[in-house]
Amino acid sequence: VEVKAPSVPYGTLFGTIVWILVASTKVPLPLLQGWVMFVAVTAWFLSIVFLCVFLFGYANRIAVNWNQTDFLFHGATFVFYFGAFLLQAATTSLHHFPRRFNSTTHEKILADHEYNISIAASVCISLTSLCAALDMPDFKEIYKS
């Protein structure tokens, strides 16, 4: 069985940028951005583990259909990152709403600087989910032995 090494991990790079961008803001909606951070950190960690399996030659020692594993990993990563993109975009779209509706102050949910960072995070998450979708192996390759 021929084991193909993973391509250049652009998704890991963009995922790291997402992780940094979301972590650098005040988190106005912990439930939404907590999920974004969970997806970014977990996918980053699993992609590093996946890469190390190939770099250190464990892929030749473990009897697994690596094409199927690669397909499942990138498919799940795409689904989770796309969901995280929707949540991050929802957080970004709430920029003009006040932090407290019954308050006399006009403090926004996201300050202007955090709004810009949130836009950058949304773009990077969309690029990460695109990379995950493009890195999936051809469906016909999964069932080759």
Side-chain angles (χ1 to χ4, degrees), residues 11 13-15 17-19 21 81 85 118-131:
L13 175 68
F14 287 126
I17 294 171
V18 168
W19 185 4
L21 289 172
Y81 264 119
F85 163 69
S118 188
I119 289 172
S122 296
V123 169
C124 286
I125 292 174
S126 66
L127 290 174
T128 306
S129 62
L130 179 67
C131 287

Side-chain angles (χ1 to χ4, degrees), residues 41-133:
V41 171
T42 304
W44 181 86
F45 177 74
L46 291 176
S47 64
I48 295 297
V49 168
F50 198 53
L51 182 65
C52 287
V53 164
F54 283 96
L55 287 178
F56 297 123
Y58 293 119
N60 294 323
R61 298 178 194 166
I62 302 171
V64 171
N65 185 344
W66 287 105
N67 289 326
Q68 186 177 18
T69 305
D70 191 26
F71 183 82
L72 291 173
F73 173 73
H74 284 98
T77 303
F78 169 73
V79 168
F80 285 126
Y81 264 119
F82 188 74
F85 163 69
L86 294 176
L87 293 175
Q88 184 65 33
T91 302
T92 305
S93 70
L94 298 174
H95 166 62
H96 297 291
F97 287 98
R99 187 172 290 270
R100 294 187 179 98
F101 285 107
N102 58 359
S103 176
T104 57
T105 62
H106 296 290
E107 183 183 2
K108 297 177 188 175
I109 287 180
L110 293 172
D112 290 335
H113 178 70
E114 291 173 346
Y115 176 65
N116 294 335
I117 292 173
S118 188
I119 289 172
S122 296
V123 169
C124 286
I125 292 174
S126 66
L127 290 174
T128 306
S129 62
L130 179 67
C131 287

